[in-house]
Amino acid sequence: MRASKTLSGRQMIGRQKELHISGAEGIYQESKIQQIVKKYLERGMHHPKGKSDSIVVTAERLKQVPKIRAALPVTTVMCHTTAEGKKVISSILRSLGISEKAMDMASAVISKDAMRGATIIATEKGIRLEPNKERGVRVSRVGITGSASKLLSTRLLRHGINTDTVKEAMILASKVVSHSDVIAELCISDDPDYTTGYIASRKFGYLRIPHIKRQGSRSGGRAFFVREGADISALIHYLETVPVLIGKVALCKGTLAIHEIINSPHR
Ligand code: WAQ
Ligand code: MG
């Protein structure tokens, strides 16, 4: 589903600009489609970013058998302010070998107008690698099996975080970092009221970061940090079109201090 709004103003005579309001994707059994489309429409119609004037829903039958991948373990980093949030981001990304240049590029892209998709950034040189810089790369064809979804909900519930937002983000991140060329994903919601973001990596799992941005801020986005020399079109093909189902759930560890996480990586 993609919901958007057309902006036209005096500054844009003769041109129109599309503002991305909301998007969602998943893999579902045929019997669930009607229910899901209803939920997606609801989301596109009532969004804190504003009123959409176009909602496009596409349903496709999968032509490939989905690959089964494991979910990342979920941990919340202890973090109480946006200032602390900034420090947490740099220490995690630094521990993953991501350069200052690459971090600066990610924050520059994310603080601009929200893109529909994600930017791809080279881990050392810090340059952007996605071919379409306005749209970015949109991860799609990712879902979770029924049994894994139930177990995940039970585990998240113990920590009071069993929401669609957390589940969907963790499922997406598990697909993204299952590709060996992706070192990490940084995500900040573009929803003005949602101030918890995350960094996902094979090394540390899915690390939720409260206060990653100021309340009320409309900027947000995703950055995928990739290994130098990665085959970008193969990566984009995997992220956008290869169906992946999360079939195995990992531990949900609750809240930990940053030094506890960095000193005992998941793998
Ligand atoms: N593929 C690539 N980029 C995407 C996708 C996608 N499927 N969906 C969203 N984005 C990008 C796009 O630039 C959006 O503007 C931005 O990410 C934020 O998307 O555990 O809700 O859907 O509590 O607003 C994090 C949950 C929630 C943290 C993130 O993102 C937690 C969220 P949103
Ligand atoms: Mg959003």
Side-chain angles (χ1 to χ4, degrees):
M1 179 278 293
R2 56 181 293 214
S4 60
K5 177 164 142 182
T6 305
L7 296 179
S8 48
R10 235 184 299 165
Q11 306 96 317
M12 290 179 222
I13 298 170
R15 277 201 313 155
Q16 291 191 318
K17 190 170 182 267
E18 212 180 52
L19 176 71
H20 170 73
I21 298 280
S22 174
E25 42 273 301
I27 297 177
Y28 299 97
Q29 299 285 346
E30 199 170 332
S31 59
K32 294 271 165 62
I33 301 286
Q34 293 206 2
Q35 186 189 330
I36 290 299
V37 168
K38 193 162 173 252
K39 182 165 129 182
Y40 282 178
L41 278 177
E42 199 67 41
R43 209 184 280 190
M45 287 167 74
H46 305 282
H47 198 277
K49 278 186 78 184
K51 217 159 177 52
S52 311
D53 50 28
S54 160
I55 301 176
V56 179
V57 180
T58 310
E60 295 164 311
R61 189 180 302 283
L62 289 181
K63 295 196 180 69
Q64 265 173 291
V65 178
K67 292 182 190 298
I68 304 292
R69 295 287 178 265
L72 294 168
V74 177
T75 312
T76 302
V77 185
M78 210 178 288
C79 178
H80 305 284
T81 61
T82 44
E84 224 184 306
K86 280 207 178 75
K87 284 190 200 146
V88 165
I89 298 177
S90 354
S91 40
I92 298 168
L93 292 179
R94 209 176 305 121
S95 318
L96 289 164
I98 289 154
S99 70
E100 295 289 328
K101 254 193 198 162
M103 293 185 210
D104 292 346
M105 180 58 91
S107 46
V109 176
I110 290 176
S111 61
K112 276 198 288 191
D113 253 7
M115 292 155 73
R116 259 184 75 208
T119 179
I120 299 183
I121 297 175
T123 301
E124 283 155 44
K125 293 198 193 82
I127 50 172
R128 289 178 75 177
L129 299 169
E130 74 279 13
N132 182 339
K133 303 211 167 29
E134 240 168 78
R135 174 184 178 272
V137 173
R138 184 88 198 175
V139 181
S140 196
R141 302 196 188 161
V142 59
I144 185 165
T145 64
S147 52
S149 176
K150 277 201 194 104
L151 181 58
L152 176 62
S153 287
T154 309
R155 292 194 176 164
L156 292 176
L157 196 57
R158 271 186 221 140
H159 300 286
I161 51 171
N162 182 34
T163 65
D164 282 348
T165 308
V166 174
K167 276 179 94 172
E168 284 175 15
M170 195 280 277
I171 291 166
L172 182 142
S174 299
K175 177 176 183 183
V176 173
V177 307
S178 73
H179 195 290
S180 59
D181 283 340
V182 179
I183 308 295
E185 174 191 353
L186 167 67
C187 168
I188 300 178
S189 172
D190 57 0
D191 177 335
D193 304 321
Y194 204 91
T195 57
T196 301
Y198 68 83
I199 294 176
S201 61
R202 288 184 296 281
K203 188 170 178 187
F204 298 121
Y206 179 87
L207 297 179
R208 308 179 62 243
I209 308 168
H211 304 288
I212 204 163
K213 73 168 189 180
R214 259 185 319 105
Q215 176 80 30
S217 156
R218 291 180 165 266
S219 59
R222 279 177 158 90
F224 304 153
F225 296 98
V226 301
R227 216 171 43 76
E228 300 286 326
D231 179 342
I232 299 303
S233 40
L235 172 63
I236 294 176
H237 173 75
Y238 177 72
L239 297 174
E240 295 192 331
T241 60
V242 176
V244 168
L245 273 182
I246 301 308
K248 203 173 148 219
V249 175
L251 289 178
C252 301
K253 303 186 215 173
T255 305
L256 293 177
I258 182 70
H259 66 267
E260 295 176 277
I261 295 163
I262 288 180
N263 296 335
S264 59
H266 153 63
R267 243 173 245 162

